[in-house]
Amino acid sequence: MDAPTSGSLPDDVFHDHCAAIVRSISTVIDGKTEAVRLALTVLLAEGHLLIEDVPGVGKTMLARALARTVDSTVSRVQFTPDLLPADITGVSVYNQNTREFEFKKGPVFANIVIGDEINRASPKTQSALLECMAESSVTVDGTTYELESPFIVVATQNPIEMEGTYPLPEAQRDRFMARISMGYPDAAAELAMLRSRELTSPLDALTPVVSVSQLRELIATVRRVFVSTAVEEYAVAIAQATRRDREVRVGASPRATLHLVRAAKARAAIDGRDFVLPDDIDALAVTVLAHRMIPARHTGDTSALLSGHSIADVIERIVAETPVPVHAAAS
Amino acid sequence: MSTTEAARVASVAKHYRRVRLWSIAGVLALATGVAASSLGAVLAEGAWWFPFMAVVVAVLASGAAFRSVNSRAWLGSVVAAAGGLVSLVLMFAPQTATLGIIPTGDTASRFGELVTQGQASIAVQRFPADAFVGIVFLICLGALAVAVAMDVAAFVLQKPALTAIPLTILLLVPSFVRTELHDAFVFAATAIAYVAVLLVASSQKNTRSAWPLISAALVLSLIVPVVLPSAEPAEQLGSGQGLISTGVNPIINLSTDLRRGIPLRALTYASEGGGEYLRVAALDVFSEDTWEPSENEPTAAGSVTEFPIAPGLSDEVPREEKVLQVEIDRIRGKLLPVPYATANISGLEGDWSWEPDGLTVSTDDSNSRGQNYEVAFVSPAPSVEQLEAAPTTLPDGFERYLELPETLPSIVTETADAVTRGETTRFDQALALQSFFADGDFTYSEDAPVAEEYDGSGAGVLGEFLTAKSGYCVHFASAMAAMARSLEIPSRVVVGFTPGERIADDSDERRFLVSTDNLHAWPELYFPTIGWIRFEPTVSVGSAPRFAQSVEDDPNTPDVDESQPEPVATPTSTSPATPGARPDLPLDEDSSAATPNGVEISPWWWLVLALPVLLLIPALVRVTRRALRLAAVRRGETGTAWREVRDTAIDLGYPLSATATPRQQFEHLAEHLAEHLGDSGTSALSSLLGQVEASAFSPRPETVRAGAVTNVLAALRASVGWRGQLRAALAPRTAFSPRDRRG
């Protein structure tokens, strides 16, 4: 959260960096431009990303490619049912030489943490990520350790009906800025994939296109994107509408509104604008809000709960019904 | 955090609910107040309106206040009614109530008294009535009922459209009690207020579906005032309170009844022939003060099934036998209107008997009101020769028809002599007298005798009347009868009705409506072997029988009694008589407004003029809104530019979502309009989009030129045909869309 707030980048530099990242990732993820763009949006908005889909469609590939294009520290945690919290945050070890307990940093101490199949771990372990994601810090044995900056969690998960999965706690779901799904590739993309993976792993060919400091500059640039009062009101109106809606049991949290506006700023910057349009809010509403909301018609069909299809429909309806305030921007 | 957020949301929602509640209550009160002003037609002054509104406001405000803290709608209406009751108590009987507001038994009895007072007050007054406390109380009771009905319709039933029912009842009250139907302006104003009720009280989603209803309300409000009078012409007259009392001597009340502001419906009758004069009383005793009936007791044995032959009528005189079907409406008294000379009457209720000299019909134990009877009569039709040849010797007992009071001014006899100089027969003398009045320089006036203090029928006032040459039927009849007596012609004054106004015409039956306006007095002169003959000296009123008309009269003029469809003649008079108006009376303000024709014509014109204006209201609203928005654009409010483009597109029929973002809407338009708009139109659109987005959402607002907006609007309009443009101009869908601030 305390990323350097250096001056924002010139438009063309920002645009070049973004284009480079998208191009780089697209070499390993075929035909998923929208997913890649959303991933970049979340990255630039300094949010945590949840990638949800069936196994084998490239979730981990996207996460790793995203991490690899930035020249930063990356760690990867494969979540399993027997994973313990200490395996993530780190552990204090008794050093016989110094005769003291010494903190051995866990995998969260990195710029980009890839949590693979996060919902295979027990809720206890999942919760260990909570503090990291919210506070960008870890407390072990009473000592608080600051995490790297930027600190971004990219988690993948399987749909909940898959065997051996635990649903993410609501509090943790709320800490992810956005949830995206990959979807199956079309025939051409799948064919191209077959050919390109014949010899080597395409990830090996990826080289970082931006440095950590450049990433910080990109993030700083996004933070300076202007949000008019009208757009803020619009975002708030949508969030409030989700709380009033009959079909929704738990609506969007205030943190969700915050995430929505931050993601919209990133989207505006990627589009080459220095101000947010209501269209940015519209475009991101489902991605940012759906995974946090609980439908009222919760029948025990957990797919409806987590896959978010029904709730996505509700959000789209709410967005369509909420009038867009158009008045002079606040000075 | 989310709890406080939710609380904030809840409190905002509550606030809006309250605002809505109170604005609905306000607009309901407004509509009721506007509709109530229609009562101004029947009440003399406007002060009653304030207590009326006090009750209405008390009702609606209590309801709204209760509902803003408790959402049970029906309980709100109960509280509203209680609030209205308290306001009644406070205004009319605070001293009887506990703590001034809680009603007690005394309050109830006080209210009862007020109701009785009010009813009595209405019964005795003419309209416009003075709003005495009893009437105001009745009006306030009505206010309570109407306001509670409005409250229930809008809040309990949630159907604001139903408020039309109490409003309509309120509007129609004057037409129940007064000829003059209703003020078209009040009707239109109420219709507009009703539209306001619908717009405010309907939820915004329903506004469009309310339009058919609103249109229907407007159209109805225009048609109802026009249709009502012509649909029920007979009901116009005198369906209100009040009675014509014949009393002992009808001539006493005659002038009062003649001056009624609102004519009362006296009776109707059906005739196979034309209209007939109907006699109520024959007055043969002439005194200093008045004409009176003689004290001839009606022959108790004289059953009305058989009358004696008319006095003096000999067998040689030709006669016509006729029948009338009479329905008495609002005449109360012991005397019955009958034509001359009645032969028999059937269908009467009660014991009735006739008086042998005057052939008038009276009762001791019954009443004329509501009687429905058939009367057969013999109408003498002597020839002029027979009349001129009538002998001069009078039968025994006829001296009393020649008696004159000693105080009779000499001008009466002198004038009689002067007028009849040169006439040889009695009949010619009588004709000369009649034309002296009717064709001379006399004028008809009901007011002059009162103003100059010679009102009345007695001998004392005849001098002034003959000098002033202005008076009404009583004076003419009295003067001619007195002058006839001075010439030794037996005479009497008869009070009754002129034939009235034709209201329906079947193939074999004509129906006539007789009102207080037809009340009349005329002289009857006696000619031996002929009998009593009616004359008509009153200038501008009625007509004498053919045989009693001067020979100089145009022979082509058909006898009014026989065939003239409009029996009441309308010769030149002091007043410019409207056809069908009350020729008996000079037209004052009241009478001209009460003219059936006046009611029929003016609303039609009004309809013709007002309908286009009303139909143009949406277009006018839209044009005004556009002008205001363009002005706002010039002031730099760019958001309005987008709203105007969006609304114009919606008006033109493009299915734009009002809640979409500007960009989504422009993309939608550009997609549908690409070929119509052309490159220039599309680029105008997109540059306008850029400016709008920049000014609304970016840190560097750009100004939108009003010219750019009008260019885009013109491009949009050009993309549809002229029909689409016309429809958009005349029936703009967004004319009553939510306020601009909602975006």
Side-chain angles (χ1 to χ4, degrees), chain B residues 236-538:
Chain B
Q236 291 175 56
L237 213 51
S239 34
Q241 297 287 335
L243 286 169
I244 310 160
S245 175
T246 50
V248 179
N249 185 356
I251 206 166
I252 295 168
N253 294 332
L254 182 64
S255 59
T256 316
D257 282 331
L258 273 180
R259 289 195 206 94
R260 269 176 193 275
I262 310 303
L264 284 180
R265 174 184 171 130
L267 58 91
T268 61
Y269 65 88
S271 162
E272 291 172 2
E276 298 289 346
Y277 276 68
L278 297 173
R279 301 159 84 251
V280 172
L283 315 174
D284 47 18
V285 178
F286 184 37
S287 69
E288 160 75 22
D289 299 323
T290 187
W291 288 82
E292 289 172 298
S294 61
E295 303 201 343
N296 265 0
E297 284 297 311
T299 313
S303 159
V304 291
T305 52
E306 189 172 1
F307 280 66
I309 293 182
L313 182 62
S314 66
D315 293 344
E316 291 79 34
V317 176
R319 62 203 70 188
E320 293 175 58
E321 295 185 359
K322 301 180 189 173
V323 176
L324 293 186
Q325 300 277 352
V326 184
E327 284 177 37
I328 305 281
D329 194 339
R330 305 194 81 89
I331 307 174
R332 181 180 60 190
K334 306 288 182 194
L335 299 165
L336 198 68
V338 286
Y340 191 79
T342 306
N344 72 71
I345 305 176
S346 55
L348 281 177
E349 286 176 16
D351 288 332
W352 293 82
S353 53
W354 40 260
E355 184 268 321
D357 295 327
L359 290 187
T360 54
V361 181
S362 61
T363 181
D364 287 330
D365 58 356
S366 186
N367 197 310
S368 58
R369 191 171 184 193
Q371 295 282 359
N372 192 346
Y373 54 96
E374 179 176 295
V375 50
F377 63 104
V378 174
S379 179
S383 66
V384 174
E385 291 72 26
Q386 283 176 319
L387 283 161
E388 287 181 336
T392 54
T393 327
L394 296 178
D396 288 344
F398 270 65
E399 294 78 19
R400 63 191 181 94
Y401 294 113
L402 297 177
E403 283 173 10
L404 291 168
E406 290 173 4
T407 54
L408 185 73
S410 56
I411 183 174
V412 177
T413 49
E414 287 160 13
T415 311
D417 287 341
V419 169
T420 59
R421 187 163 299 140
E423 305 292 349
T424 50
T425 66
R426 295 257 161 97
F427 178 66
D428 290 339
Q429 289 176 336
L431 284 185
L433 288 178
Q434 175 177 265
S435 57
F436 165 69
F437 291 108
D439 307 330
D441 42 9
F442 281 82
T443 56
Y444 186 100
S445 168
E446 286 168 21
D447 304 324
V450 181
E452 297 173 33
E453 297 181 343
Y454 60 89
D455 198 13
S457 60
V461 303
L462 289 184
E464 280 96 334
F465 167 66
L466 288 175
T467 316
K469 299 196 170 186
S470 181
Y472 55 96
C473 56
V474 168
H475 301 94
F476 287 96
S478 171
M480 178 162 169
M483 288 160 88
R485 287 190 175 190
S486 76
L487 297 170
E488 309 237 309
I489 307 172
S491 68
R492 63 191 182 196
V493 169
V494 174
V495 176
F497 295 93
T498 56
E501 177 192 344
R502 198 74 160 273
I503 53 170
D505 203 352
D506 299 344
S507 53
D508 52 8
E509 186 182 89
R510 294 165 175 182
R511 184 156 279 276
F512 293 84
L513 168 64
V514 176
S515 73
T516 45
D517 287 348
N518 299 106
L519 273 170
H520 192 40
W522 62 88
E524 282 184 345
L525 273 55
Y526 182 84
F527 299 94
T529 74
I530 308 289
W532 291 98
I533 298 296
R534 172 171 67 83
F535 284 82
E536 188 52 274
T538 305

Side-chain angles (χ1 to χ4, degrees), chain A residues 22 63 118 133 138 141 147 165 182 197 206 208 214 217 226 245 271 289 304 319:
Chain A
V22 170
I118 189 172
M133 292 169 69
V138 173
D141 294 339
L147 298 181
T165 56
M182 305 289 293
R197 312 285 165 89
L206 277 189
Q214 282 172 324
E217 283 174 351
F226 175 79
D245 200 275
D271 264 7
L289 301 181
V319 167

Side-chain angles (χ1 to χ4, degrees), chain B residues 17 156 171 198 208 437 492 532 586:
Chain B
R17 214 175 77 80
V156 181
L171 278 177
L198 291 186
R208 190 165 292 173
F437 291 108
R492 63 191 182 196
W532 291 98

